[in-house]
Amino acid sequence: MRHFSFRDALFCLALSLASAALQTRAAAAGPGGAKVFDHVYLIVLENHDFDDALDGDLSPFLVELSRDQGLATHYSGVTHPSLPNYLAMIGGDAFGVRDDAPSCFAADLSPMQSCHHVGGDSLVDQLEAAGLTFALYAETLPAAGALTQASPPAPAALYAQKHNPFAYFDGIAKNPARLEKLKPLDALMADLSGNAPNFAFIVPNQCHDGHGSLTCKDPARLARDFDDFLKRTIGAIRASRNWTRDSAIVVTFDEGESRDTPKSPGSRTEDDNRVATIVVTDCGGPAVNDAPLNHYSLLATIEDGFQLRRLRKASGAPTLMNLFDRPCR
């Protein structure tokens, strides 16, 4: 009869620990073994083509990120102008929207204004059904839950509702508890020191997102200002207790703005709408995804990483998961 030795015991313990590690890794894997996220911080900038955004003289921090982190080289907005691109990011569709009209829930909507609202599920419904949390952080939003079209009023608006897709969905705008999750940007710092949401949608104002307004028009200054905004905001996120091995920051632009292409409808090509999209992770390291991607691809990646079903046009979209799922050295 063979005796059970101390060496046998150590071997069994090693096998047990290895099995537990594999089970833990499998439990933490999303669809197809994809990485599962703790937090995704999405920062959306405005109206810069791929090459313009990655101008080393004007946006050195963003260029540094593109070299040191994950870069999607053929990522495009889904249409023009701004609003339908924002709707696509959390709804998986542009919903037939072809303009930047305000939400039909806007508190200052006039009787003659056209407006939009969207029924059906959004990423918010999916997150909450899975016990996960969300928040919008919009710079110059006057108060949590505010449904104003602009602040200050147009034409000098800094906050613009067309850059806040949450305000258009019936299931959010009619829900007071969800509206409270639409916060001024200042709330981000407080939330980072406590419990940040699983999904954070971060919108700079029009002087810091590259768009511009009456008070900030110079293109070179706009690029420097969005670069400074990124440096401050990404630095704060990465220094917080809510930055983990399973967290990621995504920087993208709503749409491109080619100087060489006529601005008439239908004259743009897909390449004209190519924008810079960068994924920052804790492990870091340069990575590239050169597949044709768009905002539906980003939504699909977020949904896969939070183990959610895919909405609408995200259902068949290729993902950016290789930029999120980079092994630590």
Side-chain angles (χ1 to χ4, degrees):
M1 181 177 179
R2 184 175 182 274
H3 294 289
F4 193 72
S5 68
F6 180 68
R7 180 178 292 179
D8 292 330
L10 287 177
F11 180 71
C12 290
L13 177 61
L15 282 178
S16 176
L17 291 174
S19 176
L22 286 172
Q23 290 174 10
T24 299
R25 184 176 296 176
K35 185 180 181 70
V36 174
F37 307 146
D38 286 338
H39 302 278
V40 175
Y41 304 89
L42 173 57
I43 304 173
V44 185
L45 303 175
E46 281 278 313
N47 295 35
H48 277 68
D49 294 328
F50 183 92
D51 292 333
D52 286 344
L54 297 180
D55 184 328
D57 292 330
L58 299 178
S59 50
F61 179 73
L62 187 61
V63 171
E64 180 183 355
L65 282 184
S66 73
R67 292 172 178 167
D68 296 344
Q69 296 284 337
L71 175 66
T73 58
H74 286 86
Y75 184 110
S76 300
V78 298
T79 187
H80 298 282
S82 290
L83 175 58
N85 287 287
Y86 282 84
L87 296 174
M89 292 180 205
I90 67 166
D93 204 323
F95 302 99
V97 174
R98 299 174 182 270
D99 57 39
D100 287 330
S103 163
C104 294
F105 304 103
D108 50 354
L109 192 70
S110 68
M112 300 303 293
Q113 272 186 287
S114 62
C115 64
H116 299 296
H117 72 99
V118 179
D121 288 354
S122 70
L123 179 60
V124 168
D125 298 282
Q126 296 180 291
L127 290 167
E128 290 195 340
L132 302 171
T133 55
F134 82 96
L136 165 83
Y137 300 96
E139 190 175 23
T140 322
L141 182 70
L147 287 172
T148 184
Q149 296 181 52
S151 179
L158 294 177
Y159 164 78
Q161 194 174 64
K162 63 184 178 179
H163 300 158
N164 172 6
F166 300 87
Y168 291 81
F169 282 85
D170 297 5
I172 302 172
K174 292 181 178 180
N175 185 320
R178 289 178 173 178
L179 277 179
E180 286 299 312
K181 306 295 177 60
L182 312 186
K183 306 177 182 182
L185 180 66
D186 293 348
L188 176 62
M189 296 303 108
D191 288 353
L192 285 174
S193 66
N195 292 312
N198 299 108
F199 176 68
F201 195 104
I202 300 169
V203 182
N205 71 30
Q206 293 191 115
C207 283
H208 298 148
D209 67 3
H211 187 285
S213 75
L214 283 181
T215 57
C216 49
K217 294 181 178 180
D218 175 46
R221 177 64 184 270
L222 286 170
R224 287 193 294 270
D225 283 352
F226 79 59
D227 204 55
D228 288 344
F229 177 92
L230 289 176
K231 188 172 184 177
R232 292 193 308 272
T233 305
I234 291 175
I237 293 169
R238 296 177 79 179
S240 80
R241 56 179 285 184
N242 292 277
W243 182 245
T244 71
R245 286 282 177 93
D246 297 318
S247 297
I249 302 165
V250 182
V251 179
T252 192
F253 290 76
D254 67 329
E255 57 178 325
E257 190 68 64
S258 174
R259 299 171 188 168
D260 302 323
T261 305
K263 301 299 188 282
S264 58
S267 64
R268 297 176 182 272
T269 65
E270 183 174 336
D271 191 59
D272 171 46
N273 211 3
R274 186 166 70 110
V275 297
T277 297
I278 296 163
V279 179
V280 180
T281 66
D282 183 59
C283 295
V288 170
N289 189 324
D290 59 5
L293 303 165
N294 58 28
H295 296 321
Y296 301 133
S297 301
L298 177 57
L299 178 58
T301 310
I302 292 168
E303 288 169 323
D304 284 2
F306 284 126
Q307 298 182 286
L308 308 171
R309 68 178 178 85
R310 294 191 187 183
L311 287 172
R312 302 179 182 91
K313 292 178 182 176
S315 62
T319 73
L320 298 81
M321 192 59 78
N322 76 301
L323 303 183
F324 286 78
D325 197 5
R326 285 172 278 160
C328 292
R329 296 187 183 90

